[in-house]
C-alpha cells in the first residue's frame, strides 16, 4: 500500500487553493520547509507572509487578514499552533468567529525522535473546548487534500492536524468528504471501531484480524472531532452497543471522550478508549511510541474480545 505524509497534501492543496483564489494567504511561522509551504512562498509571494517563530503574532495577523476579507491559513507545528498561540486563537479568531484556518503538521506522536517537547497529544482536546472552533484530522493524503479544500469554504475558524511521517493511502482521489460527517468504511454487528488520522489504517488492520476470528467489526473514519457526527455514534450504539475508539492523542478530551459524551447522553452502550495513556512521549521510533500506548492492531483486537465477554 502506498504511503504519503498528510503534510505533503497540506503543501500541494494550499498551493492549488492560492492559485485559484486570490483571497488565500499563508501565514508561515518559519517552518515552510517542514510544513511543505515553501513552493507556495516561491510561486505566490504576494499571498505569503513569514512572521518568524512567533505563533501568537501569527494568529493576530491572520485575524486582521480575515477581518479584511481574506482567508488566511496559519501554518506551523501542532504543539505551537494549538498551545503556544491558544489565547490569541481563542480571543482573536474564535471569539470573533473570523475565517482563520490553522494548518498544523507534526501532530500526535509523529515527531517521534524529537521527543515530548514536539509531540502534541493535547491539541484536539484543547481546541474542541473553544466555542466556534472546528477540529479536523484527515486519515490520509487524499482525504487531507479534500478536507483542506472544504475548510476554505467552511465559515469560521478551523484547525486541521497533519502527520509528519508517511501513512498508508486509504482513499481514492475521487472520494468526497463532508466536515462534521463521519465516513463509514465497514458495517459490523458485534463491535464498532471509531478512528481518525494515522490510526485509521491501524484500525482497518485490526478489523481484518477480527474478521478472521469470526468477529464482525464496523469501522468509521471520524475525521471531524468537532462538530462530532452524533448520528454515527448513536447508530453504532444502537447496532452493536460496543464501541472502541482509536486515536494518536491523549485518551482524555479527544475522540474517545467525545464519543463517551454522546454515549452517556444516550444512556446506553459501552466504550473503550485506545490512545495515548495520559503520559508524555519520549524520543523513540514512532512505532515504538504507539506500541507503548497500546495503539496497535493487536491491542484493538484484544480490547474488542474483552468488550464482547
Amino acid at each position: 500500500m502506498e504511503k504519503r505524509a498528510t503534510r505533503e497534501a497540506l503543501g500541494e492543496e494550499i498551493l492549488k487553493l492560492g492559485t485559484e483564489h486570490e483571497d488565500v494567504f499563508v501565514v508561515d511561522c518559519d517552518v515552510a520547509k517542514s510544513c511543505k509551504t515553501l513552493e507556495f512562498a516561491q510561486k505566490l509571494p504576494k499571498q505569503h507572509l513569514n512572521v518568524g517563530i512567533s505563533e501568537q503574532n501569527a494568529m493576530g495577523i491572520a485575524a486582521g487578514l480575515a477581518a479584511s476579507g481574506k482567508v488566511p491559513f496559519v501554518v506551523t507545528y501542532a504543539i505551537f499552533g494549538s498551545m503556544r498561540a491558544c489565547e490569541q486563537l481563542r480571543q482573536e479568531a474564535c471569539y470573533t468567529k473570523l475565517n482563520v484556518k490553522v494548518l498544523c503538521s507534526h501532530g500526535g506522536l509523529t515527531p517521534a525522535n524529537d521527543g515530548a517537547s514536539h509531540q502534541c497529544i493535547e491539541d484536539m482536546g484543547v481546541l474542541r473546548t473553544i466555542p466556534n472552533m472546528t477540529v479536523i484530522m484527515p486519515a490520509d493524503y487524499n482525504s487531507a487534500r479534500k478536507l483542506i479544500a472544504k475548510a476554505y469554504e467552511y465559515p469560521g475558524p478551523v484547525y486541521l492536524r497533519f502527520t509528519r511521517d508517511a501513512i498508508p493511502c486509504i482513499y481514492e482521489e475521487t472520494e468526497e468528504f463532508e466536515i462534521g460527517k463521519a465516513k463509514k468504511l465497514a458495517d459490523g454487528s458485534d463491535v464498532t471501531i471509531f478512528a481518525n488520522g494515522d490510526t485509521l489504517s491501524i484500525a482497518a488492520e485490526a478489523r481484518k484480524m477480527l474478521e478472521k476470528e469470526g468477529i464482525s467489526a464496523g469501522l468509521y473514519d471520524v475525521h471531524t472531532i468537532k462538530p462530532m457526527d452524533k448520528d454515527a455514534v448513536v447508530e453504532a450504539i444502537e447496532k452493536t452497543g460496543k464501541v472502541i475508539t482509536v486515536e494518536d492523542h491523549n485518551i482524555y478530551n479527544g475522540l474517545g471522550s467525545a464519543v463517551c459524551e454522546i454515549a452517556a447522553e444516550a444512556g446506553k452502550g459501552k466504550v473503550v478508549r485506545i490512545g495515548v495513556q495520559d503520559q508524555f512521549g519520549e524520543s523513540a521510533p514512532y512505532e515504538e511510541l504507539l506500541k507503548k500506548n497500546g495503539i496497535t492492531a493487536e491491542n484493538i483486537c484484544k480490547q474488542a474480545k474483552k468488550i464482547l465477554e
Side-chain angles (χ1 to χ4, degrees), residues 25-190:
F25 271 70
V26 165
V27 182
D28 256 320
C29 298
D30 213 27
V31 286
K33 185 177 180 181
S34 297
C35 292
K36 306 301 182 182
T37 52
L38 196 57
E39 191 174 2
F40 185 103
Q42 293 167 343
K43 292 186 175 180
L44 301 170
K46 293 182 179 180
Q47 293 165 249
H48 179 269
L49 294 169
N50 181 7
V51 301
I53 306 172
S54 57
E55 292 79 12
Q56 295 163 328
N57 189 36
M59 293 301 172
I61 290 171
L65 285 167
S68 302
K70 308 300 183 184
V71 184
F73 289 77
V74 178
V75 181
T76 184
Y77 290 178
I79 192 73
F80 307 131
S82 66
M83 300 181 74
R84 179 178 292 171
C86 186
E87 180 188 354
Q88 287 72 24
L89 182 56
R90 177 188 187 272
Q91 295 298 112
E92 297 172 25
C94 295
Y95 180 68
T96 51
K97 205 174 181 180
L98 286 171
N99 214 15
V100 173
K101 319 301 177 184
V102 184
L103 275 58
C104 286
S105 181
H106 295 55
L109 296 170
T110 57
N113 291 325
D114 290 339
S117 64
H118 280 58
Q119 294 159 7
C120 193
I121 59 167
E122 312 91 346
D123 53 336
M124 293 190 288
V126 169
L127 296 183
R128 82 179 186 95
T129 64
I130 302 177
N132 297 328
M133 175 56 80
T134 296
V135 181
I136 297 170
M137 186 173 188
D140 76 346
Y141 171 86
N142 284 324
S143 64
R145 290 200 66 160
K146 290 294 179 71
L147 286 164
I148 292 167
K150 289 287 184 181
Y152 168 76
E153 301 169 353
Y154 198 79
V158 181
Y159 176 81
L160 296 103
R161 185 207 222 209
F162 306 96
T163 57
R164 185 189 73 171
D165 296 340
I167 56 176
C169 293
I170 298 168
Y171 296 106
E172 296 293 332
E173 192 176 341
T174 54
E175 195 77 35
E176 292 300 326
F177 296 84
E178 181 182 343
I179 292 175
K181 184 73 174 176
K183 199 88 171 171
K184 185 194 287 187
L185 300 185
D187 275 313
S189 56
D190 296 321

Side-chain angles (χ1 to χ4, degrees), residues 229-261:
D229 188 346
K230 184 175 180 179
D231 291 341
V233 178
V234 171
E235 178 184 291
I237 291 170
E238 294 289 347
K239 188 163 189 178
T240 67
K242 298 171 181 64
V243 175
I244 296 173
T245 62
V246 191
E247 59 191 315
D248 181 2
H249 185 277
N250 197 337
I251 56 170
Y252 293 114
N253 208 23
L255 171 62
S257 292
V259 170
C260 284
E261 289 161 12

